[in-house]
Amino acid sequence: MTTIILALYMALVCVSCGKDKNIVSKSNTRTIRDIIEELAVYYGTYGNDANKNIESLLTELDGIAPVTGEKWRSIIALWKSVNGDLSLHYDVLPDGLPDTDELCMVALGFQLNPDGIIREELIERL
């Protein structure tokens, strides 16, 4: 679950910050990026148990960049709804999966050897 959250974070950090990524508040030297990184770490580590800290960080973000704060409120809400009953299955697929085009599996890649041969780490993942 943490891998999914961090991957979403990396993909969304550029999109959500936009032009104001380097803005800092007058009373605090933390940037928007600092706050967003802390949001991702808190949620990735503690999930819903970090609600108080996450709300505090979102409020801080609202004070610096309200549009970015609103976007990140939506992102956190999406993470909470998606990760409700997320279970991970290692080494074996669960029973009862559909035999249609709606199923998708993702195997994270690994760099190929210089000669183009697949590395052992990738073979193990597949």
Side-chain angles (χ1 to χ4, degrees):
M1 175 168 41
T2 302
T3 304
I4 293 170
I5 291 170
L6 291 177
L8 281 172
Y9 161 71
M10 296 304 292
L12 295 172
V13 74
C14 294
V15 173
S16 68
C17 290
K19 294 178 182 177
D20 56 6
K21 66 181 175 184
N22 293 318
I23 296 175
V24 295
S25 78
K26 294 177 183 174
S27 63
N28 194 342
T29 59
R30 288 169 24 113
T31 64
I32 292 171
R33 184 180 188 136
D34 294 335
I35 297 168
I36 292 171
E37 286 175 358
E38 195 169 335
L39 274 170
V41 169
Y42 269 122
Y43 190 80
T45 304
Y46 303 108
N48 291 331
D49 293 334
N51 282 341
K52 183 178 177 183
N53 291 338
I54 287 171
E55 184 55 39
S56 173
L57 290 166
L58 288 170
T59 301
E60 183 180 353
L61 189 57
D62 287 338
I64 296 171
V67 173
T68 302
E70 186 58 37
K71 288 179 183 179
W72 275 93
R73 285 183 187 282
S74 297
I75 290 167
I76 296 291
L78 177 64
W79 287 352
K80 287 179 180 182
S81 69
V82 169
N83 291 324
D85 290 328
L86 183 65
S87 57
L88 301 176
H89 300 273
Y90 296 99
D91 299 327
V92 65
L93 292 174
D95 292 331
L97 293 175
D99 191 17
T100 65
D101 290 348
E102 67 185 295
L103 179 64
C104 175
M105 289 182 264
V106 176
L108 300 178
F110 202 88
Q111 182 179 7
L112 298 176
N113 289 321
D115 61 0
I117 295 175
I118 297 175
R119 293 182 184 225
E120 187 64 32
E121 292 91 343
L122 179 55
I123 292 170
E124 289 175 13
R125 288 181 188 174
L126 295 174

